[in-house]
Amino acid sequence: MSSFSRRDWMKASAAALGGAALGSVRRAAALPAEWDGEAAARALEPAAGGAVRPRIPDDLSTPYVGDRPPRVHTPNGSSITGRRADDGAWVYHLVAEEVQHEFAPGLTATCWGYNGQVHGPTFEAVEGDTVRVYVTNRLPVATTVHWHGFFLPNGMDGVGGLNQPVIPPGETFVYTFPIRQNGTFMYHSHHDEMTQIALGLTGMFVVHPNTRGEIPEVDRDFAIMLHEWAVDPGTSRPDPNEMSDFNVLTMNARAFPGTDPLVVGHMDRVRLRFGNLSPMDHHPIHLHGHYWKIVGTDGGRIPEAGQWPETTVLVPVGSTRTVEFTADALGDWAMHCHMTHHVMNQMGHEFPNMVGVDAAKLDREVRPLVPGYMTMGQVGGDDMGAHVEMGHMPVPENSIPMVGAAGPFGYITMGGMYTNMLVRPRPVDYDRFPGWYEHPPGTVAHAVSAEVAARDGVRV
Ligand SMILES: [Cu+2]
């Protein structure tokens, strides 16, 4: 399957109209009657047949390297907080290198990252620090690092050829600059950006104010880098030449069901710092059940008079957006890019349009030739992930189904740039999955009989 592109796979599976369940044994009419979402979610390994189950890790804390504990939580990532040198400067070390990176269980690719991870660790520093960042290049090609949004000496700005010679493979350069601002910034390669950013050479850079009270105190402070990748099923590297057809959409380089949930306490003050270094797309990130205020960009803090309530924040390419809110609603709340093709995984963007087609006759005729044949897509895409999950439908090697993960009520038909914010009564162990929300009796949407509906004058 290694030379199989996504398009080829779609064509092949759609060859007899609509995508067959090749080699499937029985038709999947519905979800299992007893759906144990938590048990399903706790199964960390891909199920037989390449199906994907959500990853719910035991430990949601942020690992870090440095002399200061991290103050920002980077889901699926880590922080680098600096080591104090004798002259008072804060020293960091980045190693640019090739990394085997897992986007979600079942989908791994050879990417470029820093310090063994994709994206690089979240830098944390304090306004007034002088930082000294050593950058070692273990890539097969030259690179540089640009400190996105920083006011710094021109020779530290990192544009290869313009501000500095490029860092050749095997060499280490040092960047030194005083930090004169606070807020949410980024860092990324500024040499052959099309290739190097496409392969993952980016990271977040958070600067805390040096005076207490300059920005509001929060209970939870998250950093989330948005990105998009082109990884054809069966291939092992993101394609840097892709200009529009991105099929892996990520938060901190993970695609749902690979994204760690955000655990917060009821009435916690929450700050979310989004960065976007996707090659080509802006991402409108939407949180359910709450509103937030957009309080900052990579240009600085927005004065309070300029903050307005929103439930979606557009994070343009090459920008950061910081939002703050009070988590005042208990529950499991979806947070995701609102571009519908950005909440799908690899295989789902190029199906022939089968919506509304009655394929029962076709299925009957094809089944003697292809046992278990089943046309898909007549009701949209929601069936595909579940079929793969149940082992009824194979997927190409090193790929994940269009959408999907096991949830507490059934199959969650979301993928890609999607995660869940879990709001729980305090006190909360932020570093552990708290289990799915237990709804108070009578507060979950449910089926009704015609008789019940009729009481409200609704005929069904
Ligand atoms: Cu998006």
Side-chain angles (χ1 to χ4, degrees), residues 125-177:
V126 177
E127 184 176 359
D129 286 356
T130 290
V131 297
R132 200 147 62 226
V133 187
Y134 291 85
V135 178
T136 298
N137 182 7
R138 292 204 187 123
L139 296 168
V141 295
T143 191
T144 67
V145 179
H146 165 60
W147 312 98
H148 180 111
F150 283 94
F151 312 139
L152 38 56
N154 187 239
M156 296 293 160
D157 199 42
V159 179
L162 176 67
N163 307 122
Q164 65 166 91
V166 293
I167 310 172
E171 302 256 321
T172 296
F173 275 39
V174 63
Y175 296 85
T176 304
F177 52 94

Side-chain angles (χ1 to χ4, degrees), residues 282-284 337 339 342 417:
H282 317 308
H283 301 292
C337 180
M339 302 267 197
H342 290 182
M417 203 174 273

Side-chain angles (χ1 to χ4, degrees), residues 226-228 249 276 278 281-285 314-315 336-343 417:
L226 310 173
H227 207 70
E228 60 192 4
L249 282 292
N276 182 8
S278 300
D281 284 299
H282 317 308
H283 301 292
I285 303 296
L314 181 64
V315 190
H336 58 93
C337 180
H338 221 292
M339 302 267 197
T340 57
H341 280 253
H342 290 182
V343 284
M417 203 174 273

Side-chain angles (χ1 to χ4, degrees), residues 207-390:
V207 181
H208 303 290
N210 56 8
T211 50
R212 261 182 109 79
E214 186 175 336
I215 64 171
E217 297 288 320
V218 293
D219 302 291
R220 295 291 274 155
D221 194 333
F222 296 95
I224 297 176
M225 177 69 90
L226 310 173
H227 207 70
E228 60 192 4
W229 317 72
V231 186
D232 283 331
T235 67
S236 62
R237 280 179 193 270
D239 180 0
N241 298 319
E242 183 55 59
M243 200 158 67
S244 58
D245 194 10
F246 298 96
N247 59 3
V248 179
L249 282 292
T250 54
M251 290 177 162
N252 289 336
R254 300 281 293 183
F256 189 75
T259 50
D260 284 355
L262 314 184
V263 180
V264 310
H266 188 226
M267 301 310 288
D268 272 359
R269 287 291 298 164
V270 180
R271 178 181 296 131
L272 301 172
R273 306 167 185 265
F274 297 107
N276 182 8
L277 287 171
S278 300
M280 296 297 286
D281 284 299
H282 317 308
H283 301 292
I285 303 296
H286 176 59
L287 173 65
H288 292 211
H290 294 79
Y291 78 93
W292 55 40
K293 287 185 175 172
I294 303 167
V295 301
T297 75
D298 37 340
R301 182 95 184 170
I302 298 169
E304 209 170 324
Q307 302 171 5
W308 64 84
E310 282 275 13
T311 67
T312 300
V313 58
L314 181 64
V315 190
V317 175
S319 304
T320 74
R321 291 289 180 273
T322 300
V323 301
E324 290 171 1
F325 61 99
T326 301
D328 59 3
L330 293 166
D332 299 334
W333 301 106
M335 187 174 82
H336 58 93
C337 180
H338 221 292
M339 302 267 197
T340 57
H341 280 253
H342 290 182
V343 284
M344 307 169 82
N345 287 326
Q346 277 166 307
M347 301 169 292
H349 307 276
E350 293 171 7
F351 264 117
N353 184 2
M354 294 296 290
V355 175
V357 172
D358 179 359
K361 182 165 177 287
L362 174 76
D363 286 2
R364 272 197 305 276
E365 285 172 7
V366 174
R367 256 183 224 131
L369 304 170
V370 183
Y373 173 86
M374 174 171 48
T375 302
M376 291 178 60
Q378 302 104 291
V379 291
D382 80 321
D383 45 2
M384 186 164 167
H387 285 305
V388 173
E389 173 79 15
M390 287 181 278

